[in-house]
Amino acid sequence: MIVEETARKIKNMEIRGAGKIAVEAVKALKEFALHVTDEAFDEKMKRAADVLLNTRPTAVSLYNAIRYVMGYSGNTVEEKRKNLVGLADEFIENVKLAHKKIGMIGARRIEGKSTVMTHCNSKSALSIIREAHKQGKIERVFVTESRPRRQGLITLSELDSEGIETAFIVDSAVRYYMRDVDYVIVGADSVTANGAVINKIGTSQIALSAHEARVPVIVAAETYKFSPKTLHGERVIIEERSPDEVLPEEITAKLRHCKIMNPAFDATPREYIDLIVTEIGAIPPEMAFIVIRDYLKYALDEFRD
Ligand code: RI2
């Protein structure tokens, strides 16, 4: 029940944000494990993991988190459950720590009184902005609307309630205002082995615009956002969401020759990214391979045979 319920909420985006979906999936697996008492523990856990994995295809954090917890071991059901619960708690604790560290490391890169632009609603990106603001380094934050689901409104109200000055703009106004921006700070749903960043649709246009205006692009991404699958040649699947997120049915119903496209993410090549701030340090995108090799061994295992 808890697994299906969490899966449903992740799918319909009641639970959203690459880090948050990973944490909530881990919590659901832990809760479920506490109630599995029979010998079919492995089988039932595997089924539950698959239900959660089949919710959103792009954010690799979900995959990595599930792999982490499903790496449990033990000889008896009791031992396995105990081990799984320990791994789940460890993962959740690491996520909290990662956000804190990313904030501290990222804020050091911000100089003077700066104007920042952010896109969508990323906990990790906001961690940097909050810490920099605490240190008196933030003048103002440009917040993009982030159509179609308008997650920019969440960012806007969060920053506003914390007393941070904002400017709210529609996505198409990004280039117009880029000349007023000192840093672009965004989150990530996946970072590929070659250092490309997959994030909310529109991120690559912002990065391109920033590149043109020589504005540094900082990506805030915990190590569990790096994709071991890409090291093995897989391409990141870009989630295509329902057309009714873009246009209401009363409009689309009248259109006979139009297909509404609604990709949720896009890929920004590493050439347009200055820095990826992770909990283990601020690294150039070229170092993505090393992060995957050294910090995601547990998620790489599946590809060994
Ligand atoms: P944190 C979000 O995806 C956005 O693309 C955001 O940049 C990214 O997850 C990372 O978010 P969605 O769930 O993990 O809104 O940094 O589609 O919070």
Side-chain angles (χ1 to χ4, degrees), residues 65-114:
I66 290 172
R67 288 288 304 164
Y68 192 80
V69 171
M70 292 298 286
Y72 67 82
S73 57
N75 294 320
T76 63
V77 169
E78 195 45 52
E79 277 176 21
K80 287 176 184 175
R81 184 182 17 258
K82 205 167 155 214
N83 192 243
L84 185 149
V85 167
L87 289 173
D89 290 341
E90 198 172 88
F91 185 86
I92 295 164
E93 197 45 41
N94 285 345
V95 171
K96 274 191 219 146
L97 264 175
H99 284 144
K100 213 167 155 203
K101 284 192 186 155
I102 286 174
M104 278 156 45
I105 296 170
R108 281 197 201 114
R109 301 296 292 224
I110 312 294
E111 288 175 353
K113 268 273 184 203
S114 297

Side-chain angles (χ1 to χ4, degrees), residues 10 13 15-22 56 58-59 61 95 99 102 118-127 149 151 154 186-190 198-201 203 220-222 224-225 239 241 264-265:
I10 292 176
M13 290 179 71
I15 297 173
R16 55 147 296 279
K20 177 95 175 150
I21 61 176
R56 296 195 71 193
T58 305
S61 47
V95 171
H99 284 144
I102 286 174
T118 192
H119 187 49
C120 197
N121 176 254
S122 155
K123 232 177 164 167
S124 309
L126 289 181
S127 181
R149 292 191 68 106
Q151 290 97 323
I154 308 170
V186 292
D189 291 81
S190 278
I198 319 298
N199 193 48
K200 185 53 55 197
I201 188 76
T203 303
E222 308 88 296
Y224 54 85
K225 305 262 178 78
E239 179 183 4
R241 293 190 60 88
F265 305 99

Side-chain angles (χ1 to χ4, degrees), residues 112-249:
K113 268 273 184 203
S114 297
T115 295
V116 163
M117 181 181 282
T118 192
H119 187 49
C120 197
N121 176 254
S122 155
K123 232 177 164 167
S124 309
L126 289 181
S127 181
I128 297 179
I129 295 173
R130 282 196 180 101
E131 183 55 35
H133 178 255
K134 233 193 268 167
Q135 297 175 11
K137 294 175 172 179
I138 301 287
E139 175 90 43
R140 188 158 64 145
V141 182
F142 275 93
V143 175
T144 55
E145 183 181 13
S146 314
R147 278 274 293 153
R149 292 191 68 106
R150 308 180 86 199
Q151 290 97 323
L153 292 175
I154 308 170
T155 299
L156 191 64
S157 81
E158 284 182 17
L159 295 181
D160 191 73
S161 69
E162 291 161 35
I164 301 177
E165 290 293 322
T166 52
F168 186 68
I169 58 170
V170 295
D171 302 321
S172 43
V174 161
R175 187 164 177 255
Y176 183 81
Y177 285 112
M178 193 54 81
R179 57 175 167 240
D180 301 330
V181 173
D182 300 304
Y183 302 92
V184 166
I185 306 180
V186 292
D189 291 81
S190 278
V191 181
T192 68
N194 69 1
V197 167
I198 319 298
N199 193 48
K200 185 53 55 197
I201 188 76
T203 303
S204 67
Q205 283 180 174
I206 298 175
L208 190 59
S209 222
H211 184 74
E212 177 196 41
R214 295 175 185 239
V215 172
V217 174
I218 299 175
V219 174
E222 308 88 296
T223 48
Y224 54 85
K225 305 262 178 78
F226 287 65
S227 172
K229 302 175 181 195
T230 59
L231 193 57
H232 291 264
E234 269 190 40
R235 294 175 68 93
V236 177
I237 299 166
I238 300 292
E239 179 183 4
E240 182 76 31
R241 293 190 60 88
S242 164
D244 56 24
E245 289 186 346
V246 179
L247 283 177
E249 233 197 290

